Amino acid sequence: MGWPRRLILLRHGRAVVNENSRDENAELDTPDVAFPLIDFGEAQCMLTSQYVNNEYPDIDVIMSSPHKRARSSARIFFPNRRILQEPRLTEMRIGMWTMFTRAQIEAMMPREIARYEAEGLYHYKPFGGDSGPDVELRIHSLLATLRMDYDGAVVACVTHHQWLVLFQRVIDGISIKETERRLRHGQFYNASVTAYEPKIVDGRPWLAPTMVNHVPWKGRLSTD
């Protein structure tokens, strides 16, 4: 049992959820799984598709988060390919914050805002949502599947910003403090490419990054 020969991680293209504040998204009454790409996000994905299929023409397996913005991106990245929906690639779910504004939550549960601020983004678990460690458990489970079922394969996964940051924490050992900073302030561009390959790290077979947050569309779209 070994690692995939290469693991390629792509963030979805820019979507409606990326255009607004959390409160503005809550007022849309749209489940987080249902936010679509915007036109600019589709253009990002088309340019990234050209790059990734040229750079990695031997991809064996493609997986995508079930979120609409990820599935739509995957179809643009990899047209006419079979795409497996993989729930373990879903974003860090914000639960009640999806359809309630901060003011509404504060009115219903005044101490919830204080709990959020006291625990911090990594440890905080909203009602109906995930904490950082919850997502990391999904990542560990997916890594076990990759080792068991995809030894020697080239695997591409289409996922989300916070998932990618937490993947870095699991694989690269990023501190909680730095993880929180990246979760809040951004690390991975939409339609970016990150790649890992198996290497011996600290005496054990592990994954090491060969490319992080490469942005094929940067400088090629008029409004970037």
Side-chain angles (χ1 to χ4, degrees):
M1 183 173 67
W3 290 106
R5 178 161 52 92
R6 184 172 290 117
L7 178 62
I8 304 157
L9 305 175
L10 301 103
R11 187 187 176 196
H12 63 79
R14 192 160 183 84
V16 170
V17 71
N18 305 128
E19 294 289 278
N20 306 316
S21 69
R22 181 175 284 185
D23 277 358
E24 289 169 337
N25 283 324
E27 290 171 348
L28 295 175
D29 287 334
T30 301
D32 186 52
V33 297
F35 283 107
L37 296 176
I38 63 171
D39 291 345
F40 185 71
E42 293 180 355
Q44 291 173 318
C45 290
M46 285 188 280
L47 291 173
T48 294
S49 174
Q50 296 170 11
Y51 170 83
V52 76
N53 286 289
N54 181 67
E55 190 74 13
Y56 307 110
D58 54 349
I59 293 172
D60 300 299
V61 180
I62 302 163
M63 302 178 183
S64 172
S65 157
H67 286 51
K68 184 174 183 178
R69 56 191 180 274
R71 290 186 288 111
S72 298
S73 297
R75 286 194 293 268
I76 299 172
F77 291 144
F78 305 106
N80 304 315
R81 291 290 304 271
R82 182 186 180 212
I83 298 168
L84 305 176
Q85 289 193 41
E86 174 49 73
R88 290 171 291 184
L89 291 168
T90 54
E91 182 62 297
M92 186 174 173
R93 297 172 300 174
I94 62 174
M96 65 187 300
W97 294 80
T98 304
M99 291 188 177
F100 292 98
T101 66
R102 183 184 179 101
Q104 288 169 336
I105 292 171
E106 194 163 25
M108 291 185 295
M109 293 180 290
R111 296 291 290 167
E112 185 65 13
I113 303 299
R115 183 172 77 90
Y116 168 61
E117 293 174 348
E119 293 185 355
L121 182 56
Y122 176 79
H123 292 289
Y124 173 70
K125 183 170 183 171
F127 290 97
D130 295 321
S131 66
D134 290 332
V135 179
E136 289 179 13
L137 286 173
R138 296 206 305 266
I139 292 170
H140 280 291
S141 173
L142 181 60
L143 288 171
T145 297
L146 292 174
R147 292 201 69 180
M148 183 177 297
D149 296 341
Y150 298 102
D151 181 9
V154 179
V155 179
C157 297
V158 182
T159 185
H160 305 263
H161 163 69
Q162 291 182 325
W163 192 99
L164 287 161
V165 171
L166 292 163
F167 185 87
Q168 283 188 318
R169 171 163 162 73
V170 169
I171 294 293
D172 304 331
I174 305 300
S175 70
I176 291 176
K177 182 177 180 180
E178 174 60 14
T179 297
E180 281 219 356
R181 189 193 69 79
R182 295 183 186 187
L183 289 172
R184 289 184 182 280
H185 301 296
Q187 171 74 5
F188 291 93
Y189 281 91
N190 291 108
S192 62
V193 184
T194 296
Y196 285 80
E197 292 182 1
K199 293 185 180 179
I200 301 299
V201 179
D202 296 330
R204 62 170 177 163
W206 198 235
L207 292 173
T210 58
M211 177 186 299
V212 178
N213 197 29
H214 178 62
V215 190
W217 55 264
K218 195 69 174 173
R220 300 174 64 191
L221 292 174
S222 59
T223 57
D224 62 334

